[in-house]
Amino acid sequence: MQDVADACRTGAATNVIFGLALGYKSVIIPIFAIAVGIYVSFTIAAMYGIAMAALGMLSTIATGLSIDAYGPISDNAGGIAEMAGMSHRIRERTDALDAAGNTTAAIGKGFAIGSAALVSLALFGAFVSRAGVKVVDVLSPKVIIGLVVGAMLPYWFSAMTMKSVGKVALEMVEEVRRQFNTIPGLMEGTGKPDYANCVKISTDASIKQMIPPGALVMLTPLVVGTLSACRRCRASSPAPSSPACRWPSPPPTPAAPGTTRRSTSKPGRASTRGRWGPRAPTTTRRR
């Protein structure tokens, strides 16, 4: 943090560079901690241990999210107190609560990301055991494609959410400009702004703009699983008449006691009664 503070003296460019470097370096220690947790939990209780480790990390999320509420509430309270011309002591107290909320929010996000890694590993283990997969060949092109596409999905999701935020912010700015131009006395403080319309824009956007990212998360496993199943079926049945792509044959009808089944087709000639047509049993005489 001291390096970032020193970089602020030379301009915004160096500040951004040092900030990005600090953010990238902050990933090293948590990754090693997650790796050690995975190894120890798997050594003690296999996949069940990993699931319990993830559950233990998620048990503190409720407390973290509760304290996280200090951030926006205290920040809004401090802004109202400042606009109302209240004492600076109130602003200092709200800033302290805001800092506590922001710090707790960062810690809570770290716990959520770490537990997500453990949960994903547990889910993968459950899928492998349920599907009967014994070996995962990393050198297979399909596996490599799946890894690359899976690594791309977080960036796609982040891009969609950031674009949604920018779109809503643009709508909000346009609405504020419209009110300044159409409502008389708003710039002088004598007019009343239309708060309801601004709240409506934020509320509608928070619901509508999250539909595409949510659909991406929900539909990706279905699409990938469907395509993978089709490829597996094609690989296992190269010919359309392969038994793997046909319905299973019905069990043969048992013959009555003392009877034998006679073939209805001549050698070298197909039967015209169909594959599963009725066959009349013939009785054999006993001497």
Side-chain angles (χ1 to χ4, degrees), residues 184-201:
L186 189 59
M187 293 291 294
E188 294 78 11
T190 57
K192 184 178 180 181
D194 187 5
Y195 299 108
N197 201 10
C198 295
V199 173
K200 182 178 181 299
I201 292 175

Side-chain angles (χ1 to χ4, degrees), residues 204-280:
D204 293 344
S206 63
I207 299 175
K208 294 180 180 179
Q209 296 297 329
M210 285 305 296
I211 293 177
L216 175 65
V217 174
M218 298 298 294
L219 297 179
T220 298
L222 300 178
V223 173
V224 174
T226 303
L227 295 178
S228 177
C230 294
R231 293 174 182 174
R232 191 179 298 112
C233 180
R234 293 174 184 175
S236 61
S237 58
S241 59
S242 176
C245 289
R246 294 188 303 188
W247 292 100
S249 303
T253 306
T259 62
T260 57
R261 189 177 300 278
R262 184 177 64 184
S263 176
T264 58
S265 60
K266 296 180 180 181
R269 184 178 179 182
S271 175
T272 57
R273 293 190 178 184
R275 184 179 177 184
W276 300 321
R279 293 174 173 81

Side-chain angles (χ1 to χ4, degrees), residues 16-257:
V16 171
I17 293 174
F18 274 86
L20 287 174
L22 180 62
Y24 292 154
K25 289 175 62 177
S26 64
V27 180
I28 299 175
I29 297 178
I31 289 298
F32 279 113
I34 293 173
V36 172
I38 291 174
Y39 180 80
V40 172
S41 58
F42 187 84
T43 303
I44 295 175
M47 284 296 174
Y48 181 77
I50 294 177
M52 290 297 100
L55 185 61
M57 293 186 68
L58 288 174
S59 62
T60 59
I61 293 297
T63 304
L65 292 178
S66 300
I67 304 176
D68 186 16
Y70 291 165
I73 295 176
S74 303
D75 193 10
N76 294 332
I80 294 173
E82 186 176 357
M83 289 186 294
M86 302 179 71
S87 175
H88 292 285
R89 296 173 56 188
I90 299 176
R91 184 62 181 178
E92 293 176 358
R93 294 174 182 175
T94 55
D95 288 343
L97 293 175
D98 187 15
N102 294 334
T103 304
T104 310
I107 297 174
K109 290 180 177 65
F111 273 94
I113 294 172
S115 61
L118 297 178
V119 169
S120 63
L121 182 58
L123 290 176
F124 181 74
F127 169 76
V128 167
S129 61
R130 181 66 176 174
V133 179
K134 301 300 181 181
V135 178
V136 178
D137 188 7
V138 184
L139 299 179
S140 174
K142 295 181 180 179
V143 176
I144 296 177
I145 291 172
L147 291 174
V148 173
V149 173
M152 176 269 299
L153 289 178
Y155 295 96
W156 191 4
F157 180 84
S158 301
M160 295 175 69
T161 53
M162 293 172 66
K163 185 178 179 180
S164 300
V165 172
K167 187 183 299 184
V168 176
L170 182 61
E171 293 180 4
M172 188 67 70
V173 171
E174 293 295 335
E175 173 62 22
V176 172
R177 290 177 178 175
R178 185 195 64 83
Q179 293 188 17
F180 276 129
N181 295 328
T182 57
I183 300 177
L186 189 59
M187 293 291 294
E188 294 78 11
T190 57
K192 184 178 180 181
D194 187 5
Y195 299 108
N197 201 10
C198 295
V199 173
K200 182 178 181 299
I201 292 175
S202 300
T203 306
D204 293 344
S206 63
I207 299 175
K208 294 180 180 179
Q209 296 297 329
M210 285 305 296
I211 293 177
L216 175 65
V217 174
M218 298 298 294
L219 297 179
T220 298
L222 300 178
V223 173
V224 174
T226 303
L227 295 178
S228 177
C230 294
R231 293 174 182 174
R232 191 179 298 112
C233 180
R234 293 174 184 175
S236 61
S237 58
S241 59
S242 176
C245 289
R246 294 188 303 188
W247 292 100
S249 303
T253 306

